[in-house]
């Protein structure tokens, strides 16, 4: 039987790190749906398409080719054959992804791609609407969160490690704005599925969160 682990939650709650580790430990395929929305935002911006143009953004989402190529550290994000893994990790693209993800036609196109990717393999999928919309039948659903302060501090450190010294206040404001937009949009807002288990990762290590999810998978208390 095919297994699906769904991990939803706000930005920088630790979803990617946990999902990658789980996928590596279990031999499952890792699907980063946020990266797909980021790729669409990049494709639109590269073509000079305003992110408020729902029709054009929807057409781009339906016609562009996005592939998540598994590698040891997670996955490479390929957009029309180009490796955009690093390019999509800047605040401009994060905000852009949040904007295009509110467009129903964009969501429709990407949700279809996500379901296709999981057709014949076990998967760990992270995003905002995985447990509610994309895979409501998932075997294990986790809603991972953490305080805004912790999440912003984590993202700030990640940027800094890459030589990108963005002030903590800017990182915090960007994240709060994105969370608000992602939670308040009309279509598939960020929301905990009724049957998802909530976990606050503010004071937990990666190993603790991974162990918690594995326990949920086996039904252990
Ligand atoms: O997980 P992330 O920060 O890479 O996601 C970028 C944006 O994409 C996020 O602000 C909202 C959107 N997104 C979404 O709407 N649905 C998903 N399943 C994943 C991401």
């Amino acid at each position: 039987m095919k297994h699906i682990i769904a991990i939803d939650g706000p930005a920088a709650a630790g979803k990617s790190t946990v999902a990658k580790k789980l996928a590596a430990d279990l031999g499952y395929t890792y699907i980063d749906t946020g990266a797909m929305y980021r790729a669409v935002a990049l494709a639109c911006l590269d073509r000079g398409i305003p992110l408020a143009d729902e029709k054009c953004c929807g057409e781009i989402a339906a016609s562009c080719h996005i592939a998540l190529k598994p590698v040891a550290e997670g996955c490479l994000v390929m957009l029309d054959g180009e490796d955009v893994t690093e390019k999509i990790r800047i605040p401009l693209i994060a905000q852009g992804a949040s904007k295009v993800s509110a467009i129903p036609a964009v969501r429709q196109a990407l949700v279809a791609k996500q379901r296709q990717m999981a057709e014949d393999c076990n998967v760990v999928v992270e995003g905002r609407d995985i447990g509610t919309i994309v895979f409501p039948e998932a075997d294990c659903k986790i809603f991972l969160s953490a305080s805004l302060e912790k999440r912003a501090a984590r993202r700030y450190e990640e940027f800094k490690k890459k030589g990108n010294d963005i002030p903590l206040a800017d990182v915090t404001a960007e994240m709060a704005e994105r969370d608000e937009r992602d939670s308040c949009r009309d279509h598939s807002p960020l929301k905990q599925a009724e049957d998802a288990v909530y976990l606050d990762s503010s004071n937990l290590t990666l190993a603790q969160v991974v162990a918690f999810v594995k326990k949920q998978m086996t039904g252990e208390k």
Side-chain angles (χ1 to χ4, degrees), residues 144 150 154 199-209 212:
L144 192 61
K150 287 271 178 178
R154 283 176 191 162
L199 184 64
D200 186 324
S201 74
S202 301
N203 299 308
L204 298 177
T205 62
L206 167 66
Q208 286 172 319
V209 178
F212 178 90

Side-chain angles (χ1 to χ4, degrees), residues 81-82 107 130 146 169 172:
E82 185 197 348
R107 300 207 72 82
I130 310 306
T172 310

Side-chain angles (χ1 to χ4, degrees), residues 29-52:
T29 299
Y30 165 56
I31 303 181
D32 177 357
T33 63
M36 298 172 75
Y37 288 94
R38 287 172 184 257
V40 170
L42 177 67
C44 293
L45 291 171
D46 276 354
R47 290 165 175 78
I49 295 168
L51 303 183

